[in-house]
Amino acid sequence: MRARTLLTPLALVPLFLATAVSSGSAAESGTPEGPDRQYLVEGPETPQERTQVARTGASVDAVGEDAASVTVTATPGEAEAIEDLGHEVTEVPVPNDLLHQPVDPAYHTYDELTGVVDKVVADFPSLAEKTSVGSSHEGRDIMAVRISGEEEAGEDKPEVLFTHQQHAREVLTVEMAIYLLTMFTEEYGSDERITELLDSRTIWILPSVNPDGAVYDTESGSYRNWRKNRQPNSGSNAMGTDLNRNWDYNWGCCGGSSGSPYSQTYRGASPESAPEVNVVADFVRSRVVDGEQRITAHIDFHTYGELVLWPYGYTYDETGPGMSRDDYDAHAELGELMAETNGYTPQQSSDLYVTDGSINDWMWGDQGIFSFTFEMHPGSFTGGGFYPPGGVIEEETARNRDAVLDLTAYADCPYRVIGKEAEYCGSAA
Ligand code: 0X9
Ligand code: ZN
């Protein structure tokens, strides 16, 4: 293998730590040749170039501030393939990907999250209800919390869905769920806007759709940088499926996922082969009442990059099957409006790189739900990557308050944002 230098400007910890990481055992991530590592890739500037990088099977974790580099998690083989594309590849041992970085107690473990959910529903029994949409591969509950204010009999409230932690290591997204659970319950009756919204809409929060991955990532006391679920793959010793490549809309169509179980972006054996995706999709399908999907708007929380993304991810085209000009424009307007409140960068998700089988494409393409991905703080890996210090939790979750409330407000008729409620929402105009 070609020699790769360590990234000296970022090497804030002594080299021996980096060596300790590199000599880690070829564990469940990565190939038999060695574990996955994080690399800075200098060169890719365009969506097409970033997609080529993603096509090696590496996960593109963020675009650099210079917009001419990306950070990736990759196997040694994938790193070589990226180098063969003509890019400069440098291993990044710090600051966030030391495999032995201790788990930060400021973040909630899955058990602690369960405790928070139980307390919220116990404290606000007339507002919040806990259900389970089903079980993970290892049998953990995939919790859902339904929050709604005053209900009139037979009332059809539009519903808004928030999903969190498809990717295990994206720990700030769980804190985002806790922020929303707390905000929607504690501020009902005192905050006028929240009260009005909950009296006219129903909120669904799925605070962790990948509990097995979350437990695996933290159970040793040190972060494992784990992304996928924990489902074994037959015929391979590589573990896990990337949940955000396993959704049943143009699954595996377009080079936006990997067919190799060793890859960070392994799409699974078939669409919805991951039980976590299957039960969440079943839950969403169950919200079709009298032929109409009650959920109208959705945000899937990820880290990192500080982006607001909308579908489609499988194509660079704005419009296409199931995505009219008005559909696209309403997504883009809503995305831009939300991004104005949180300071994120708004863009179509394929502007980042192509993905297929993602949750946003399925939510829109299959269910007609306006669907966004938020890539939360930090903006780039220098801010702590997937494991930013606990001190940022308060500010970086509250940062999305207005975006969430704005989307919730448009849930009665998202096309209102482009002034077309009369055309699309009939009497709602
Ligand atoms: O690659 C992903 O799944 C997301 N990025 S992450 O670094 N959190 O893994 C981006 C998904 C964007 N959505 C679509 N492209 N549809
Ligand atoms: Zn993610």
Side-chain angles (χ1 to χ4, degrees), residues 60-61 167 170 227 244-245 302-304 309 313 349-350 352-353 355 358 360-361 373 375:
V60 176
D61 300 330
H167 295 142
E170 299 173 10
R227 171 180 171 98
N244 206 26
R245 299 294 184 276
H302 288 255
T303 67
Y304 51 100
L309 306 173
S349 61
S350 55
L352 196 57
Y353 48 84
T355 57
S358 78
N360 293 150
D361 286 10
T373 287
E375 295 281 359

Side-chain angles (χ1 to χ4, degrees), residues 209-225:
V209 302
N210 185 6
D212 297 351
V215 169
Y216 179 72
D217 193 45
T218 54
E219 68 188 350
S220 74
S222 304
Y223 290 120
R224 286 177 158 139
N225 201 29

Side-chain angles (χ1 to χ4, degrees), residues 153-166:
E155 191 185 11
D156 287 337
K157 291 180 175 180
E159 302 180 6
V160 185
L161 173 67
F162 302 99
T163 51
H164 303 254
Q165 203 176 29
Q166 282 203 81

